[in-house]
Amino acid sequence: LEIYVTILNVNDNSPMFKQPNLTEVVPEDTKVNATIVAREDLSTSDADLDTIFYELTTIEPATDGYFAIKGVNNPEIYLQKALEYEKFNFTTLVLYARDRPVGSTDTTNTAAITIKISIEQADTRSPRFLPCAFINTDNRICISRPYTGRVNMSEMSTEPLVLEPGPIYAIDPDHTLNEKIVYSIVGGDTEGVFSVDADTGNLTMKKVATSPDSYLLQVMATQVNNIQKYSIAYVEIKVINKSNYAPYFESKIYNGTVFVGLAPRSFVFQDGHPSRPLMITAADDDFPDV
């Protein structure tokens, strides 16, 4: 008697990844659609020889939509949206492998692999002059106002000029890289009166200013590693006549009289002279004829 036995394959094995965890470092300037994790690093084996269906999820909600898989049967992970280091620099993905489609009522075995993604900041932004004010909510665009200062006509200053709102200073917004920045004057100094220190940004004089006209200097901050990464700031230097004396009031005490019931903006009169408006005056010995 011959007995034929047919063994029926039962779905009793789960898919298996090569490893339970994976770590990847992704540069911030990675191009959209670039492969982040290759298919061969994420493929699974299944003793039941079933077709495997994949699903990618993100643990951090704020990073959802940046990474995706090529297809339901292709686990290769690619970049779906451009990265911004300032928005996030780390995320965790979970890739699920199932031997039945999502939503199937059949018995389904599942495996998962955790993928930790670290974003590496890239040199994507030009130097930024400080202080500056952000004009958008994601703090990517920061606008600085012009620097201002003054010098005395026909007088040579040997110290760095005092500027408002502060000294000339620029930083690399890609703060983890913090590339070295150098300064130079690229416009507005046709007479060669001023000089800027390449390393510190201190503005000094090379010779006296002989014209009463103001100078509007253009100072450039450039990254040493990439001259195409630069920013321009304006520095307005006013030329004034030297002031040797401080202004002073002509009287230490002024006495005035007001009357009950006067309307707002009515005159205050001199004490003892009800018909003469009270006047508070100051003088400056630098201008004796004024």
Side-chain angles (χ1 to χ4, degrees):
L1 177 65
E2 292 183 354
I3 301 175
Y4 295 94
V5 178
T6 301
I7 308 299
L8 299 178
N9 190 12
V10 176
N11 186 19
D12 56 354
N13 292 283
S14 296
M16 293 184 63
F17 285 100
K18 296 177 182 178
Q19 52 195 340
N21 300 288
L22 195 61
T23 300
E24 293 289 337
V25 177
V26 181
E28 178 189 10
D29 57 354
T30 299
K31 301 296 184 183
V32 173
N33 294 324
T35 298
I36 303 301
V37 185
R39 178 174 185 169
E40 52 267 23
D41 295 329
L42 297 171
S43 297
T44 58
S45 59
D46 187 349
D48 297 320
L49 303 179
D50 292 314
T51 299
I52 304 301
F53 300 87
Y54 297 94
E55 180 187 11
L56 184 66
T57 63
T58 305
I59 292 180
E60 290 83 6
T63 65
D64 189 29
Y66 284 87
F67 302 94
I69 56 176
K70 290 288 188 177
V72 68
N73 300 122
N74 182 353
E76 178 180 310
I77 298 176
Y78 71 97
L79 184 63
Q80 189 171 240
K81 190 164 71 171
L83 297 170
E84 292 185 34
Y85 184 86
E86 290 70 26
K87 289 187 175 181
F88 71 94
N89 53 46
F90 180 82
T91 188
T92 303
L93 310 176
V94 178
L95 179 66
Y96 294 97
R98 300 182 176 90
D99 55 14
R100 293 293 183 272
V102 175
S104 173
T105 57
D106 296 337
T107 300
T108 303
N109 296 304
T110 304
I113 181 174
T114 300
I115 304 142
K116 296 181 178 180
I117 304 287
S118 295
I119 310 302
E120 182 180 62
Q121 191 167 37
D123 191 8
T124 59
R125 294 185 291 175
S126 298
R128 174 185 296 164
F129 283 96
L130 298 181
C132 66
F134 291 104
I135 63 172
N136 52 359
T137 56
D138 62 2
N139 292 346
R140 285 191 60 82
I141 301 176
C142 199
I143 303 299
S144 61
R145 60 190 180 94
Y147 297 93
T148 59
R150 62 183 184 179
V151 296
N152 295 323
M153 184 181 295
S154 301
E155 182 174 295
M156 182 74 173
S157 175
T158 58
E159 298 294 325
L161 301 184
V162 177
L163 303 176
E164 294 292 339
I168 297 172
Y169 180 61
I171 63 168
D172 180 3
D174 302 314
H175 57 86
T176 62
L177 302 177
N178 195 24
E179 298 291 350
K180 179 177 174 60
I181 292 172
V182 293
Y183 305 90
S184 60
I185 297 175
V186 295
D189 187 25
T190 55
E191 299 174 3
V193 175
F194 302 97
S195 175
V196 65
D197 188 283
D199 295 318
T200 66
N202 286 336
L203 188 66
T204 55
M205 299 183 71
K206 294 192 295 184
K207 63 181 183 180
V208 299
T210 57
S211 170
D213 298 330
S214 296
Y215 293 86
L216 187 59
L217 309 177
Q218 291 176 283
V219 177
M220 181 170 67
T222 310
Q223 288 185 194
V224 172
N225 70 322
N226 185 353
I227 61 173
Q228 293 183 345
K229 292 287 193 304
Y230 69 90
S231 293
I232 300 292
Y234 288 92
V235 184
E236 182 182 15
I237 303 296
K238 295 181 179 179
V239 182
I240 62 173
N241 290 317
K242 184 177 181 179
S243 178
N244 294 311
Y245 304 97
Y248 59 89
F249 289 103
E250 295 181 332
S251 176
K252 292 185 177 180
I253 299 176
Y254 292 85
N255 296 309
T257 300
V258 295
F259 300 98
V260 175
L262 286 178
R265 303 182 68 83
S266 296
F267 285 117
V268 176
F269 294 94
Q270 294 182 22
D271 190 23
H273 299 278
S275 62
R276 296 181 183 177
L278 178 64
M279 299 183 65
I280 299 174
T281 58
D284 189 334
D285 290 341
D286 287 312
F287 305 96
D289 298 329
V290 176

